[in-house]
Amino acid sequence: MDGGSERDSLPGRGADDAGRIPLAVVVVDRDGQVSHWSSGARRLFGISRQDAVGRPALDLLPVSGAFCEDLPGDTVPDACPSYASCPSYASCPSCDGSGPHLEASLGGRTAYPTAGRARLFPYRDEQPHGKDQSVPSGQPDPDPAGQDRLDVLWWAYPLVGPGTTRLLVLAADATRLRDERGHDETAERVSPGFARHTELPAAEELERRLPEILPNMGPGLSSRIVSQIMELGYPVLEFSQLEQVPVTPYWGVPRRAARRRTEAAAPRDRAAAVIPADAEQDLEHAAVRERLEFLNEVSSGIGTSLDLGETIREVTSAAVPRFADFAGTHLRAAVLAGEGFPEGPPDASTVMHRVWVEHNDEPGRWDDTVPVGETFAFPEHTPFYQCMVSGEPVLIPRISDELGDRVAGEFEKRDLRPLISGRSLLIVPLKARNVVLGFMVLLRRPDRVPFDDMDRTTGAELAARAGLVLDNARMYTYQENVADTLQDSMLPKVSPRMAGCDIATRYLPGTRLGRIGGDWFDTIKLPGSRTALVVGDVMGHGLNSAAMMGQLRTAVQTMAAMETPPAHLLRNLDDLARRLGENYLATCLYAVYDPIIGELHLANAGHIPPVLVRAEDGRSQLLDLPTGAPIGVGGVPFEAVRVRVAPGDRLVLCTDGLVEVRGCDIGEGLAALCESAAHPAASMDDACDTIIRALNTRGGRKDDVALLMARLNGIPDEHVAEWRLAADPREVARARRLVRDRLLQWDLPQAVETAQLLVSEVVTNAVRHAGDEPVGLRLIRADALLFEVTDAEPALPALLAAGPDDESGRGLRVVSRLAREWGAGASGHRKTVWFEQSVR
């Protein structure tokens, strides 16, 4: 990549690298929107490819600066002369040294290539640049003297031919000329220009390297653009009218020193010489020892973590630079997603992920063409597909131009030729238990010894060890996913608002391997606007504890729905645990909150006591409850207590993982729990976070943690209405009137019609089956309207399949259809049928 002998006199630079400057490449379509955006453009303008593609090019590119005011008023803007020959270029206040405008090219008003120099402020994320890029969008006018600006050289090429591409823009940071060379005066007078390829030294080499910087486009489009660049004029740096240096495709750092190339080529020179038999044998032994040492080093360097992502990076990085100059790891989608072992051999439809790339080329050289994270199916007629399907290494000592063209032709949206042609290629399968998990692509540059049969064996052994390590990480990831899914499925979806109380919860998995445990919490809606609050902890960890937790939680929900009193519920739970197995042990705290009377009804089975924070003075206390024995011990009675609470009081229930720390007394943890629970907080979630932070700072936690907090708001007396109805069919009409009057009093006229219909159906059933006993009707206003009808018939109602000629049996079907929820429960010799109606 010579810059031309005429530039040898440039201070601080040699002829070999005079024109090497990092380039940004942008392609604009016929609608003026960006269709291709290179990694160099991302680095120069600070905008990612995802944010740039599809946006108007005028918003992103350096179009600032007015056209020359010295031109006649009827002169079109793109008629501005080349600023290299403009006598007023340096002092022109309009150009400010920026010369012709890119805006003309973006607007499609030029049919020839243009070049210029623009100074603009760095891109700000607040909003895109407008046409005036001298001021960042959304910001006040900065002081030009105190604000650094990008100094951008640009070349614009109009494109012709099929497709939507209309303009190619190349851009470079001119400040690099000052920063890297240290000669501001020379850098200030450099300008972009064009030269015919016949005027350039090494024109064929320049033409060959151009496709390397074109972002993510197929061979057809790439070739068409390159040919038009060479025809319209190759981009050059003009230091004067007589001094021109061609711009060389470059990624930002110097190429490797010639010494490395010499060392890499040395084995080829030695191989060409006549070597004695003994010396040749010694060389073979040395080569074998070197490869064994390499494999031993690789084995000790990979598999240090069970994290799949970290393992992938270790495996890929192990090959570069000692064994290859490029390594890219591709895995099947099922492996990467942790979905278990892939089923069946891969085929043409198998989706592969490029999960990591490692190379020692210039930074960014591979970013656009082989981006990490890309998902695709490999074409059938490629060596990659051959390796994937056969499960055997594929070796190509040297990729010829013909083979490079054929392989690149299979990929529509990228031109691989500049990256693979002339290189040595080795593709090795990543296998475990004779199933291909993916493959690794290994490449050596032309200046290194090509891969040979010994390298094929070494690469296969490398892949075998890597496949084993990847499979271990995959299995661990799969088991982690299973454990997390099981744990998440067993935790309830708790509503933040229940009748008369607000709820907040937290769950922290344990730090032990597997992270699955038996801690749980639950909230259960009960008749009468009551809420059951439950926290439990199955002793032990792992799947057995999680399975037992699921069984006990289901049993608690079932018995709670049957309105089983707290002490009786724990006794039944204890009997169930002993029937399930001898090793079933758990602690449990069960509380029922009645918001109408302001009371907690609690029973404890070996669990740590709850904390009650009083709203009146903000003080917290551990509730003194009969501890009881853990669930599963058997033969121990459970006692229940009742505690009066006021609106605004908070109840905190948790498992012992929050307060127990190895080597510390549990009393210290309970004291810390009380102190943190009393801390004022803006919301229930903030209060939970405060407790977690305060208790976690003590360190040493390994157990999982379940935390449930309830703010006991209560239900005001004026939001509750109760009536007693006689067992007389005429009372049905009275019930409708009472409900209508109360809803109108509560300013809920929209709920009257549906409420009257449903109350009529339920009260009719109660009067019909109650005998001579009175019927109770209660209406509660909370987040929804709750209606309860109580009678002396203990048998629970059932939905009936009424025929077209039946005169009854449709009442509960009407309730089921119109009510938000409904249910029934029996207590003693009486039953209660309830339903909820939305107030909106």
Side-chain angles (χ1 to χ4, degrees):
M1 301 301 122
D2 287 341
S5 59
E6 62 274 16
R7 293 300 310 138
D8 290 351
S9 60
L10 181 63
R13 298 190 58 166
D16 291 341
D17 63 352
R20 301 184 65 231
I21 184 170
L23 280 179
V25 184
V26 181
V27 179
V28 182
D29 64 20
R30 299 187 186 280
D31 296 325
Q33 296 180 337
V34 173
S35 62
H36 294 77
W37 186 267
S38 74
S39 57
R42 172 182 56 79
R43 286 190 291 271
L44 177 58
F45 299 114
I47 309 170
S48 68
R49 178 187 294 115
Q50 292 79 3
D51 293 335
V53 173
R55 287 180 57 180
L58 284 170
D59 291 348
L60 306 176
L61 297 178
V63 297
S64 62
F67 295 99
C68 182
E69 294 178 352
D70 295 338
L71 293 175
D74 58 349
T75 304
V76 294
D78 55 306
C80 181
S82 170
Y83 62 89
S85 58
C86 178
S88 60
Y89 161 70
S91 59
C92 176
S94 301
C95 290
D96 189 25
S98 60
H101 274 274
L102 179 58
E103 184 177 16
S105 296
L106 293 175
R109 300 196 298 270
T110 62
Y112 49 85
T114 57
R117 187 166 181 172
R119 290 179 174 86
L120 66 153
F121 288 100
Y123 180 80
R124 299 287 184 90
D125 288 335
E126 286 84 350
Q127 27 181 339
H129 290 290
K131 294 183 179 180
D132 183 7
Q133 294 201 28
S134 63
V135 179
S137 298
Q139 298 293 320
D141 292 349
D143 177 11
Q147 179 78 16
D148 291 336
R149 293 194 291 177
L150 292 178
D151 190 357
V152 178
L153 306 171
W154 59 265
W155 298 260
Y157 294 85
L159 301 176
V160 296
T164 61
T165 56
R166 188 189 68 194
L167 186 74
L168 171 75
V169 179
L170 306 178
D173 184 359
T175 59
R176 295 290 294 267
L177 296 174
R178 292 195 298 268
D179 297 340
E180 295 182 6
R181 314 306 171 197
H183 294 275
D184 291 346
E185 185 177 333
T186 300
E188 283 295 332
R189 61 188 179 89
V190 71
S191 59
F194 301 96
R196 302 289 294 180
H197 66 276
T198 55
E199 304 169 358
L200 298 175
E204 293 182 358
E205 180 67 12
L206 293 174
E207 183 177 6
R208 186 187 66 80
R209 290 205 63 188
L210 265 178
E212 296 181 6
I213 62 171
L214 297 180
N216 244 20
M217 55 183 62
L221 178 58
S222 173
S223 299
R224 181 162 57 87
I225 288 178
V226 169
S227 64
Q228 292 187 55
I229 290 177
M230 301 304 288
E231 180 181 351
L232 293 172
Y234 193 88
V236 297
L237 299 177
E238 296 181 344
F239 294 87
S240 72
Q241 291 184 343
L242 300 177
E243 294 177 301
Q244 293 183 339
V245 175
V247 173
T248 304
Y250 175 49
W251 287 265
V253 298
R255 290 183 63 85
R256 299 148 59 92
R259 181 178 59 83
R260 285 194 176 183
R261 292 197 297 268
T262 303
E263 292 176 353
R268 286 204 300 262
D269 299 336
R270 291 195 299 267
V274 177
I275 303 175
D278 292 343
E280 185 175 355
Q281 187 175 11
D282 290 341
L283 287 175
E284 291 179 0
H285 290 168
V288 171
R289 280 198 306 271
E290 181 182 359
R291 284 162 173 78
L292 289 176
E293 290 173 2
F294 165 69
L295 291 173
N296 288 334
E297 290 179 11
V298 168
S299 298
S300 62
I302 64 177
T304 61
S305 169
L306 287 174
D307 178 76
L308 183 59
E310 180 64 27
T311 301
I312 290 168
R313 289 189 287 274
E314 290 177 349
V315 167
T316 312
S317 302
V320 178
R322 186 167 176 180
F323 188 68
D325 296 307
F326 171 92
T329 300
H330 304 74
L331 293 179
R332 296 171 68 172
V335 177
L336 197 61
E339 298 175 351
F341 207 73
E343 295 183 2
D347 54 28
S349 63
T350 300
V351 175
M352 304 294 291
H353 289 255
R354 183 181 298 109
V355 292
W356 198 249
V357 167
E358 194 75 31
H359 63 85
N360 60 355
D361 282 333
E362 297 95 331
R365 183 174 188 182
W366 295 81
D367 292 355
D368 293 321
T369 307
V370 287
V372 173
E374 188 176 23
T375 301
F376 55 94
F378 276 92
E380 293 187 43
H381 304 294
T382 61
F384 315 105
Y385 180 81
Q386 177 185 346
C387 172
M388 183 174 64
V389 174
S390 67
E392 297 295 331
V394 174
L395 170 63
I396 301 177
R398 192 71 67 188
I399 301 177
S400 64
D401 291 342
E402 180 184 356
L403 178 59
D405 291 343
R406 189 165 70 248
V407 171
E410 296 289 338
F411 296 88
E412 297 180 356
K413 296 183 178 180
R414 66 208 63 219
D415 190 358
L416 295 174
R417 294 173 302 172
L419 296 175
I420 65 175
S421 294
R423 299 203 180 208
S424 183
L425 172 66
L426 177 62
I427 310 173
V428 290
L430 299 170
K431 296 192 294 185
R433 289 169 278 175
N434 292 323
V435 174
V436 176
L437 306 179
F439 57 85
M440 184 184 296
V441 178
L442 303 167
L443 289 167
R444 285 181 180 172
R445 288 191 308 274
D447 55 10
R448 287 187 63 173
V449 177
F451 290 116
D452 55 20
D453 289 337
M454 186 178 294
D455 291 322
R456 186 209 304 264
T457 304
T458 304
E461 181 62 25
L462 167 65
R465 301 185 187 193
L468 179 61
V469 172
L470 286 172
D471 191 45
N472 289 337
R474 179 202 62 80
M475 288 190 294
Y476 175 77
T477 302
Y478 175 69
Q479 291 171 356
E480 284 273 282
N481 291 343
V482 169
D484 290 344
T485 301
L486 178 61
Q487 189 78 65
D488 292 343
S489 66
M490 289 188 171
L491 291 175
K493 302 298 185 287
V494 173
S495 171
R497 292 188 61 83
M498 306 288 285
C501 65
D502 298 327
I503 306 293
T505 61
R506 291 292 184 274
Y507 177 80
L508 278 68
T511 58
R512 292 184 176 90
L513 186 64
R515 301 192 304 171
I516 190 169
D519 288 17
W520 90 93
F521 53 77
D522 213 343
T523 59
I524 306 167
K525 181 187 294 186
L526 301 179
S529 293
R530 295 172 301 155
T531 300
L533 308 170
V534 192
V535 168
D537 183 2
V538 176
M539 296 184 182
H541 299 85
L543 291 175
N544 289 337
S545 297
M548 179 183 175
M549 178 262 283
Q551 292 173 310
L552 296 183
R553 176 172 168 249
T554 301
V556 169
Q557 287 182 324
T558 303
M559 290 187 285
M562 298 171 63
E563 299 191 67
T564 307
H568 193 188
L569 183 145
L570 292 183
R571 186 166 64 249
N572 291 344
L573 201 62
D574 180 56
D575 293 339
L576 173 64
R578 287 187 291 127
R579 288 196 301 271
L580 292 175
E582 296 180 357
N583 297 323
Y584 274 49
L585 292 175
T587 63
C588 183
L589 179 64
Y590 182 79
V592 176
Y593 172 55
D594 190 330
I596 296 176
I597 64 176
E599 183 180 79
L600 285 169
H601 194 191
L602 308 98
N604 190 6
H607 204 78
I608 62 174
V611 175
L612 183 63
V613 182
R614 296 291 185 178
E616 183 179 3
D617 54 12
R619 300 180 62 183
S620 61
Q621 65 179 105
L622 287 171
L623 293 182
D624 187 12
L625 306 179
T627 303
I631 299 296
V633 172
V636 179
F638 298 99
E639 301 179 44
V641 298
R642 296 181 183 271
V643 178
R644 299 290 299 180
V645 293
D649 289 354
R650 284 182 287 142
L651 183 69
V652 180
L653 299 85
C654 68
T655 55
D656 58 4
L658 185 61
V659 297
E660 278 188 342
V661 175
R662 184 179 298 274
C664 298
D665 185 72
I666 192 174
E668 298 178 10
L670 292 174
L673 175 62
C674 286
E675 181 181 356
S676 58
H679 194 280
S683 66
M684 293 284 285
D685 286 329
D686 289 343
C688 283
D689 292 338
T690 298
I691 294 175
I692 294 296
R693 282 196 302 268
L695 275 296
N696 265 352
T697 55
R698 301 164 67 226
R701 181 184 69 83
K702 293 185 177 179
D703 203 357
D704 44 347
V705 170
L707 172 66
L708 185 150
M709 180 182 293
R711 182 165 56 207
L712 312 176
N713 301 319
I715 295 178
D717 293 340
E718 58 269 22
H719 286 179
V720 181
E722 294 187 76
W723 302 281
R724 288 173 65 86
L725 307 174
D728 186 336
R730 290 175 293 184
E731 289 286 86
V732 176
R734 177 172 171 249
R736 289 198 295 267
R737 290 195 301 273
L738 293 171
V739 168
R740 181 198 61 196
D741 293 344
R742 183 51 58 99
L743 292 179
L744 293 177
Q745 181 181 339
W746 287 344
D747 194 24
L748 297 173
Q750 72 277 9
V752 170
E753 183 177 356
T754 301
Q756 285 186 308
L757 173 61
L758 298 180
V759 166
S760 178
E761 294 292 344
V762 178
V763 171
T764 298
N765 287 342
V767 169
R768 181 175 300 170
H769 300 290
D772 297 331
E773 296 290 330
V775 174
L777 172 61
R778 183 160 72 165
L779 172 57
I780 303 170
R781 180 182 182 181
D783 292 338
L785 295 175
L786 173 65
F787 298 83
E788 295 178 336
V789 177
T790 305
D791 60 55
E793 170 59 48
L796 297 179
L799 286 172
L800 301 177
D805 299 327
D806 293 336
E807 297 181 359
S808 62
R810 297 180 178 84
L812 286 182
R813 290 196 172 274
V814 174
V815 174
S816 177
R817 178 64 63 87
L818 298 181
R820 189 172 77 172
E821 288 186 67
W822 79 279
S827 178
H829 296 287
R830 299 180 68 81
K831 77 167 183 294
T832 299
V833 178
W834 60 269
F835 63 87
E836 284 187 359
Q837 179 184 342
S838 299
V839 294
R840 294 181 178 83

